[in-house]
Amino acid sequence: MSDLLDFFQHIIEWCIQYIDEPLWSIVIIMLLGVGLFFTLTTGFVQLRLFPQSLREMWFGREAAEHALTPFQAFATGLASRVGVGNVSGVATAIALGGPGAVFWMWLVAFMGMSSAFAESSLAQLFKIQDKDGSYRGGPAYYISMGLKSRCMAVAFAVTLIFTFGFAFNAVQSNSIVEATRNAWGWNGHYVGIVLVVLSGVIIFGGVKRIGVVSARFVPLMALFYLLTTAIIIGMNIEKLPSVFKLIFTSAFDFSAMAGGMFGAMFSTAMLMGIKRGLFSNEAGMGSAPNAAATAEVKHPVNQGLIQMLGVFVDTMMVCTCTAMIILLSDNYGSASLQSISLTQNALSYHIGEFGVHFLALILLFFAFSSIIGNYAYAESNMRFLKNKTWAVVLFRLVVLFFVYFGAVNSGSIVWAFADTVMGSMALINLIALLALSPLVWILLKDFQKQLKAGHEPEFKIDHYPALKKRGVDPRLWK
């Protein structure tokens, strides 16, 4: 086992050294550019249809026996979004990029809400139905059918499997280990073994079970965290104006420049805010569409709006909570504190030693829900590549190996690995979104037309015969 762990560590170090910086120089331009493109071409859909997204999430609860309800698909997507990125990721961004990183997290989330709308609407349009009545879909499917590019679809599926099945789950387990070690002195090796066992029980139960578990626990976890933050903000209400001023003034401090081929254009705050913002909300990355496709809805835009709401909840609410907890404390600039330790220290400052234990417990739920949510995404793409029982079982075992890998390796290695594969995956998806943008506009126009006429929007494929030629299954949209 130790030889295998060393082998993967050497591979990861090579990727970080030669791929990460030039890759992210391109990804940042694409991420902001595509987000701005969809924001403008959809007429600021994230603002205009935000109230509708709330209605779709809350009232769209009925589904067939083997399909996820819109709310369960939302919760599965939120399970992956709301996790370590909201706690450890925000802390890392502030520690390395300063308070200004929070502004860039907000910006990438606002722009990304339109990208999330686009990718999840496309995922619904191009979803397929399995023999048991459940649905599968995501970027690999809309690239393969919509763009007729099997090679590009396979490349995306492979990068998603590495990102969510392996790297992100390693990050989750690594953060659990750090939090529980700080709070209770738990041994990382044994924590890793327990996580492997618990994760195995859930993932061998199937995607339907993941949706049910997520729908029950994720909202409750987020509520506890939001209530705690509300109390802390109430205790420090007089400091809020200065904190927001610090965030905005630091955001445009370009004295500390990032690396990469376009390094002169990016500050460290900008780079860290965008990286950690993408890790947390996943908007435009191509992950949430895998959950969006599993829902049963009457119109593809229904689920696009719901997943757009997930980006808002993740970054504008939960990530901001962590930022406020840290920036309202007195030592967020300490060089010795990063990642989970910085957030735990800030909570300790506000509510005493209890804060360290509270965050460790919350993170256990956050990170574990993310592990099973991440797995749901990866499994869908594994089945796209090889939908055979033996292949899926082997894949599940490799996923569990990386859960253990993250638990026993350093945070710097695990996070850097996640950054590299995440950037590769996002780049492929962003290119596909641009190419398929006309279909997004068709769906949105159809939805708005029916909504304006006072009807409950229902997509009829017969009204758009050209979409049948794109590979859309007409049986699903009669």
Side-chain angles (χ1 to χ4, degrees):
M1 177 65 77
S2 61
D3 291 339
L4 189 58
L5 291 171
D6 290 340
F7 172 73
F8 278 107
Q9 185 170 332
H10 289 316
I11 292 177
I12 292 168
E13 289 173 347
W14 182 89
C15 291
I16 295 166
Q17 182 177 355
Y18 294 104
I19 298 175
D20 189 61
E21 279 194 358
L23 172 66
W24 269 96
S25 296
I26 299 170
V27 170
I28 287 177
I29 298 294
M30 286 290 293
L31 191 67
L32 294 178
V34 172
L36 180 61
F37 173 77
F38 278 110
T39 295
L40 295 177
T41 58
T42 60
F44 286 83
V45 66
Q46 63 267 62
L47 297 179
R48 291 189 303 104
L49 294 183
F50 186 79
Q52 183 67 24
S53 71
L54 292 171
R55 288 191 288 270
E56 296 293 343
M57 184 274 292
W58 190 250
F59 293 109
R61 287 175 171 246
E62 297 299 323
E65 180 182 355
H66 296 288
L68 295 186
T69 66
F71 181 77
Q72 287 175 340
F74 167 79
T76 302
L78 199 61
S80 180
R81 286 190 175 110
V82 177
V84 168
N86 304 86
V87 181
S88 177
V90 174
T92 302
I94 293 174
L96 300 179
V102 178
F103 169 82
W104 295 106
M105 293 184 87
W106 289 338
L107 182 65
V108 78
F110 177 75
M111 296 295 185
M113 287 174 73
S114 65
S115 302
F117 166 81
E119 62 186 358
S120 292
S121 297
L122 288 171
Q124 267 291 322
L125 180 66
F126 288 100
K127 69 184 179 183
I128 64 173
Q129 190 169 29
D130 287 329
K131 294 179 180 179
D132 64 357
S134 62
Y135 300 109
R136 284 187 287 121
Y141 296 80
Y142 60 66
I143 292 171
S144 177
M145 291 186 280
L147 295 181
K148 306 298 182 184
S149 177
R150 175 72 182 179
C151 291
M152 187 177 179
V154 169
F156 177 85
V158 170
T159 57
L160 186 142
I161 289 169
F162 271 83
T163 301
F164 281 86
F166 307 154
F168 280 12
N169 278 342
V171 168
Q172 306 298 332
S173 60
N174 181 271
S175 297
I176 289 175
V177 166
E178 182 181 352
T180 54
R181 182 188 295 120
N182 291 341
W184 308 309
W186 288 1
N187 182 284
H189 169 72
Y190 296 113
V191 172
I193 292 175
V194 172
L195 287 175
V196 167
V197 173
L198 293 178
S199 300
V201 170
I202 297 293
I203 67 176
F204 276 93
V207 174
K208 177 69 176 180
R209 181 180 294 182
I210 293 171
V212 173
V213 171
S214 300
R216 290 176 180 174
F217 287 103
V218 173
L220 185 62
M221 293 185 296
L223 179 62
F224 276 131
Y225 197 61
L226 290 171
L227 288 175
T228 302
T229 306
I231 294 171
I232 291 173
I233 290 175
M235 294 165 53
N236 299 273
I237 194 72
E238 72 285 352
K239 296 181 181 179
L240 276 184
S242 60
V243 167
F244 278 100
K245 181 181 179 181
L246 182 64
I247 289 172
F248 285 103
T249 55
S250 301
F252 300 96
D253 178 9
F254 283 80
S255 57
M257 306 309 298
M261 67 178 72
F262 300 119
M265 297 171 58
F266 307 140
S267 67
T268 303
M270 183 179 182
L271 179 65
M272 293 308 302
I274 293 174
K275 272 189 175 184
R276 296 295 163 255
L278 179 62
F279 177 88
S280 181
N281 63 54
E282 303 172 17
M285 190 193 299
S287 51
N290 294 273
T294 62
E296 186 174 88
V297 294
K298 293 184 177 181
H299 199 290
V301 167
N302 292 133
Q303 201 63 32
L305 293 174
I306 289 174
Q307 295 300 337
M308 181 181 79
L309 179 64
V311 177
F312 176 85
V313 172
D314 173 88
T315 304
M316 300 302 189
M317 294 179 67
V318 186
C319 282
T320 300
C321 285
T322 301
M324 292 299 107
I325 289 172
I326 294 171
L327 296 177
L328 287 171
S329 66
D330 63 346
N331 61 348
Y332 63 84
S334 173
S336 61
L337 293 173
Q338 293 185 18
S339 192
I340 295 297
S341 299
L342 177 57
T343 312
Q344 285 182 307
N345 186 77
L347 274 172
S348 179
Y349 169 83
H350 293 298
I351 58 178
E353 185 66 21
F354 167 77
V356 176
H357 304 287
F358 170 77
L359 186 61
L361 184 62
I362 287 291
L363 195 72
L364 272 172
F365 286 106
F366 271 1
F368 186 70
S369 71
S370 291
I371 288 174
I372 59 177
N374 291 345
Y375 171 78
Y377 293 162
E379 183 194 279
S380 177
N381 285 267
M382 184 64 215
R383 291 186 182 277
F384 173 82
L385 295 176
K386 194 73 174 178
N387 193 16
K388 298 291 185 181
T389 301
W390 67 264
V392 174
V393 171
L394 179 61
F395 162 69
R396 289 172 176 174
L397 294 175
V398 177
V399 168
L400 296 178
F401 166 79
F402 272 95
V403 170
Y404 180 76
F405 176 86
V408 297
N409 271 274
S410 69
S412 59
I413 288 290
V414 172
W415 275 100
F417 176 39
D419 282 341
T420 301
V421 292
M422 172 176 68
S424 304
M425 172 183 160
L427 186 59
I428 297 171
N429 185 57
L430 291 169
I431 293 171
L433 288 181
L434 286 177
L436 292 170
S437 57
L439 304 189
V440 177
W441 303 331
I442 290 173
L443 294 175
L444 180 58
K445 184 178 180 180
D446 182 80
F447 183 87
Q448 291 179 139
K449 181 181 178 180
Q450 295 185 58
L451 205 61
K452 188 176 181 179
H455 305 309
E456 181 182 3
E458 188 170 355
F459 187 68
K460 302 289 187 180
I461 190 66
D462 289 338
H463 296 168
Y464 302 95
L467 291 180
K468 293 182 181 179
K469 298 178 181 179
R470 290 272 195 162
V472 176
D473 188 344
R475 296 170 298 177
L476 303 181
W477 304 108
K478 293 182 180 180

